[in-house]
Every structure is written in structure tokens, then in C-alpha cells.
Amino acid sequence: MSKQILVLTGAGISAESGLKTFRDSGGLWEDHAIEDVATPEGFAADPELVWRFYKMRYQQAEQARPNAGHYALAELEEVLGEQFHIITQNVDGLHQKAGSKRVLEMHGRLKRCFCTDCHKRYEMSRTDLSLPVPVCDACRSVLRPDIVWFGEIPYYLSEIDQLLRNCDLFLVIGTSGVVYPAAGFVLTARYHGARTISINPNEPANNTHFDECIQSKAGDFLPSFVAELKQQVLT
Ligand code: APR
Ligand code: ZN
């Protein structure tokens, strides 16, 4: 039985909760240019447009419910405790809604924003979203969503590096494998001896780096896979 299980998730795990992915057909990047809504330059050029995009995604995420894939991972953490961690590129908070606790949100979270000047942090639920561009109570500067945009440095990179070096099984679920640094994590985990598995109905771009690519939807595959892993731990 593997001792440390590390999971990396992407937009695909939330697809079955009704949230759009980015790069599948009908995905978010079909209707919105990345450079307009997901870069610091885009925000500087048109903060109202960027806020419209993230208010919409925040409201959709608030209404979304976790699916069988999220719940299966939360169940596994209940059994494994400290031996189980999730790194997610998702900003929707669905892992936590399903009950997962050890979650590193490397690309930020929709439910928070912060001041571009004094960096005070706010919950979206306590922010006046009727304003086209919300402002800071403390210094009246413009607030921005707490999202890591292209050209910015993801959160928790040193904690993530430690987890990658120490895991025995690395499961990568629902990510296209094109956005770095996350797309390269499999190489670190593998180099340090982990078994690496991708779970995705399509082949990710970095598919050759995995020991095994399971072509399946997260919600279809994870419940039985997790039940098997739990069995191995408990017997
Ligand atoms: N179960 C598992 N995987 C799925 C499912 C499903 N039900 N449905 C779709 N997928 C897969 C797709 O095949 C695709 O490979 O999920 C992946 C989604 O890929 P992207 O849309 O590129 O999302 P992601 O990899 O999370 O994007 C990475 O890019 O846009 C930025 O910052 C954003 O965090 C995001 C990062
Ligand atoms: Zn401020």
C-alpha cells in the first residue's frame, strides 16, 4: 500500500458539477480571451470586464455542488489523514465543500479578493459586488479577485515541492497538462519514486510522463478506485 497519496486536480473534476472547464469545447477560453481576463495587464486595461468575469464564476461556484469525484477524495482523506493531500488548480472551493481539509489552492480562490494597494483581504460574500469595480474599505483602492493570473507566481510552491518529493502515489485528475508549473509536477513526483496516474476522459498533453493513463470521467472512476484504496488501508 502506498504511504503518501498526493492528488493534483484541474477543471475536469468539477465538470460533472456543471462548471465549465477552460479548454474543452464550449470551455471558458472559447468565449473569453485569456489575456483580457486572466492577466495583470488585462486587469489594468479593463478592471470592469475582469470583475464581470469573476463575479459570474464566483456566483456559479457558490451554487455548484461537489460531485462523486470530490466526495470520494474527501472520504479517502478521512481514512488517511496526514498521508493524503490535494493540490488543486481549481478556484471553485468544491473540494472543501465536499469535506476535504488538506487542500492547497495553488491558483487562488473565487471566494476572496484583495486590495491592489494595501493588500487587505476580503471575503467576496462581504464585498459590495454591485459596484462595477469593488473598492477597499481601508484605503479606497481597487480590489482584485484572489486569483493567480498568467504571469503571476502560484501559491504554496515550496509546500507543493515537499509533497511531490515525498509522495508514493501521485494522482492527476482532470487537467489538460498544458499550464506550468502544474503540468510539470508529474516529473518531480516520478523522479522521486512515485507511481503516477492520470485520470481524464481524454489524454492530457503530458501523457507520456505517467505510468498509467486511465481514460475515464472523475465521477465515474474515483468512487470505486477510492473504495479499493480504502480496503487496502483498512485490511
Ligand atoms: N473528469 C475528469 N476529467 C475531465 C472531465 C471529467 N468529467 N471532463 C473533462 N475533463 C478533462 C479534459 O479532458 C481536460 O483535459 O479536464 C481537463 C480540463 O482541462 P483545462 O480546461 O485545460 O483545465 P485545467 O487543466 O484545470 O487548466 C489549468 O489553466 O486556464 C488556466 O488557471 C487556469 O487552473 C487553470 C489552468
Ligand atoms: Zn486597501
Side-chain angles (χ1 to χ4, degrees), residues 179-199:
V179 176
Y180 284 81
F185 290 170
V186 57
L187 290 173
T188 309
R190 196 172 176 177
Y191 180 77
H192 291 276
R195 177 167 175 72
T196 55
I197 302 179
S198 155
I199 299 158

Side-chain angles (χ1 to χ4, degrees), residues 105-166:
E105 294 175 299
M106 65 177 289
H107 289 170
R109 64 286 291 172
L110 286 165
K111 67 179 175 104
R112 298 238 179 90
C113 55
F114 66 90
C115 175
T116 50
D117 192 25
C118 74
H119 298 154
K120 185 172 171 190
R121 291 189 177 264
Y122 294 86
E123 294 291 317
M124 283 288 196
S125 58
R126 294 167 155 261
T127 304
D128 184 358
L129 295 179
S130 68
L131 294 171
V133 178
V135 290
C136 177
D137 286 346
C139 76
R140 311 310 295 165
S141 297
V142 165
L143 300 183
R144 60 164 276 181
D146 188 6
I147 300 292
V148 176
W149 286 325
F150 287 93
E152 298 182 319
I153 298 170
Y155 295 135
Y156 309 115
L157 287 182
S158 60
E159 289 92 329
I160 289 172
D161 192 54
Q162 281 305 311
L163 290 168
L164 290 167
R165 286 161 180 267
N166 290 321

Side-chain angles (χ1 to χ4, degrees), residues 62-113:
E62 280 298 285
Q63 280 159 21
R65 296 284 152 254
N67 63 58
H70 297 106
Y71 285 120
L73 296 178
E75 238 182 275
L76 192 55
E77 184 184 351
E78 273 197 17
V79 178
L80 291 175
E82 270 303 321
Q83 288 168 272
F84 182 87
H85 294 85
I86 296 175
I87 303 162
T88 188
Q89 299 168 88
N90 299 344
V91 292
D92 55 33
L94 288 180
H95 285 300
Q96 291 89 335
K97 263 193 202 167
S100 291
K101 295 187 184 66
R102 295 165 180 89
V103 184
L104 296 175
E105 294 175 299
M106 65 177 289
H107 289 170
R109 64 286 291 172
L110 286 165
K111 67 179 175 104
R112 298 238 179 90
C113 55

